Amino acid sequence: MQPQSCISLGRDKLNQLPEHIAIPGYPVENVTAGIVHVGVGGFHRSHEAMYVDAIMEKTGDLSWGICGVGLREGDRRMQGILAAQDHLYTLVEKHPSGEHKARVIGAMTDFLMAADDPTRVINQMASEDTKIVSLTITEGGYNFDPTTGDFIASNEDVQFDLANPGAPKTVFGFLTAALKQRKAAGQTPFTIMSCDNIQHNGDVLKKMLLSFIRLSDGAFASWVEENVCFPNSMVDRITPATVDADREKLQEMGISDGWPVVCEPFHQWIIEDKFSDTRPLWEQVGAQFVPDVAPYEKLKLRMLNAGHSVLGLVGSVAGLDTIHGAMAEPKLRALLSAFMSLEVMPTLDSVDGIDVEDYKGVLLSRFANPYIKDALSRICLESSAKIPVFLLPTVKDNLAQNGHIQLSALTIAAWCYYSDKHTSEDGKPLQVQDAMSEQLHQAAANTGHDPLSFVKLEAVFGQLAEVEAFRNAYLPLVKRVYNGEPILDIATSLLSL
Ligand code: CS2
């Protein structure tokens, strides 16, 4: 039940909130949108929107607000809830000490559902006030073939957009329509900024968008290529899915918020300083602008994201539920630590100002924060889009330099078991949410007849199954997992070799 002193979040109630909840010091009603963001999930709200809120607080320049856009029907619930609270929401940082720091974020001006009014979304992007269109559309949203890196032109929605350029469905259709308007009006185009966990995320986005545009208009593609900037960036902040307990905790703190965001205190944003037009001075609130983001991206994707996948896949098969729970299991923590040191670190490039050993130490303590309660199910969802980006590049580099691959191979064997059985080794049901779940399941279910069946799935693994050194590492491990040897014992045996 809502305690009497609990205030429902809304612009006119901000001043009534208890003191321990920080509120914007700027007039939220005066914020105007300079950014359109596609894919408003927890991560966007804990990261870019937080930086926007911070820069508005610091400088008083209120022209960098964010108009959110939802492309998927699944976004409608959040859109409705945020609209009802004037697009305000609470960001709760959970510190390892147990302290919860709450702040209302005033960065968002609006949230449009693209399917309801595609023209409005196109016009919003095309408006001269929009300097940046940013995206968090997940690794799978870029529509590239993970083995060739090429744009998948046969995708149904892509074909739809080619036939219906005025009412598109994909992000590529919207960006194209809006950029065409900007060009026709003789205006400077907006910057297109990817905030997804993909190596060279800006370059990949540029390649995909240009491939899409070339399908209908080669000359316009050349204009986009010459005039639009797509900065690469490394984004980082662990943001678990919001659960009811988070809403209840906020009610105890005196605020009723339909969809708060919870996250760790740590945040990092490293951006290539390459913008088509002006940009917020995010360096004044902790972001770092650098000429080359690649080594930072590589470090983060291979250490943090792949580290998460190791804990997620091996931990789920071992019957664990959360990242901090996995870290509390000494065998799994040792596996993760060895994975980072033996398999990832030898493939990294040196990064200015970062000591990789220190980076690893910080990561291990971030993962161990017991208040974050990051579910392994969140980590494991859409693994078919994540593993080729997070883990397989490390395996390929190690194969090329005769490096260590066993711990990666064990993680892939765990993923095979997970995809086949949809349960942990002790029979606990595991949630499977993956665009390729059917193909993964079929390939994995054939392991009894052909132990390489899972890794022969070329759409995910390319030609990996043909590499002898990989087969030699993987085969005994997948057999041991299927023979019922506890996965954490297998991990331990690999570490003591
Ligand atoms: C996670 C990321 O989705 C995943 O598998 O590794 O969401 C991770 O928590 C963020 O990238 C942290 O910055």
Side-chain angles (χ1 to χ4, degrees), residues 402-445:
N402 219 356
H404 202 288
I405 55 166
Q406 291 220 312
L407 310 178
S408 302
L410 180 64
T411 305
I412 296 170
W415 185 25
C416 173
Y417 186 92
Y418 186 124
S419 308
D420 178 4
K421 311 284 183 198
H422 295 187
T423 67
S424 64
E425 60 192 8
D426 56 2
K428 203 165 70 181
L430 294 174
Q431 185 187 324
V432 180
Q433 186 188 320
D434 197 300
M436 289 184 68
S437 62
E438 199 39 50
Q439 286 145 282
L440 293 168
H441 177 68
Q442 275 178 13

Side-chain angles (χ1 to χ4, degrees), residues 47 109 182 253 257:
H47 194 263
T109 57
R182 291 284 267 255
M253 291 171 76
D257 181 339

